[in-house]
Every structure is written in C-alpha cells, then in structure tokens.
Amino acid sequence: MINEVRMTLRLPEDLRDRLRDHAKSERRSLNSELVYVLEVGLRAMGVDAESPGGDSAAPAPLRGKLDSSPA
C-alpha cells in the first residue's frame, strides 16, 4: 500500500492550466501529472529513493538575497 499525504498547493493560474492541459493530453489526472512531473524532476536532479536527501555535494540554489548584512 502506498502512503499518501494530502496538501494544499498554490500555483500560478497559467502554470496550473499548462499542467492540466498536458495531463489531459497524456490521459492522466492533474494529481497524477503533478506526481509524474515531480518524480521526473527529482530523478533529473539526482534525487532518488536510495538518496532521500539528494546529493549533499550539490546544494540547492539560494533564493532571495545572497548577503543580508547591512551595507
């Protein structure tokens, strides 16, 4: 049995529409499309079931300011 987690996801409307359209063309539900896209993306980043934290030698890019110290 697969454990499932329910969550709320906020997406820009245009992204949601693109995902929904692609899911329809692939004959998948939007939920199945999101799971598929996330799995493909994680695999492309080198994150798999054997390495739950991914490659620690390749940190994720930072978001926001690089240096928060006062100028």
Side-chain angles (χ1 to χ4, degrees):
M1 181 177 180
I2 297 175
N3 293 328
E4 295 180 354
V5 175
R6 293 186 183 268
M7 60 186 278
T8 300
L9 179 64
R10 293 182 296 197
L11 296 173
E13 190 174 344
D14 61 326
L15 178 58
R16 184 211 52 211
D17 293 343
R18 289 170 45 209
L19 285 164
R20 186 186 57 222
D21 292 345
H22 192 261
K24 186 176 180 180
S25 73
E26 296 294 321
R27 300 180 63 131
R28 287 194 278 258
S29 68
L30 180 55
N31 185 77
S32 293
E33 183 71 10
L34 287 165
V35 170
Y36 173 77
V37 168
L38 289 168
E39 287 177 343
V40 168
L42 287 172
R43 234 178 286 130
M45 293 186 308
V47 178
D48 60 21
E50 299 300 316
S51 59
D55 182 2
S56 62
L62 297 174
R63 297 180 75 183
K65 294 181 179 180
L66 293 178
D67 182 6
S68 61
S69 62

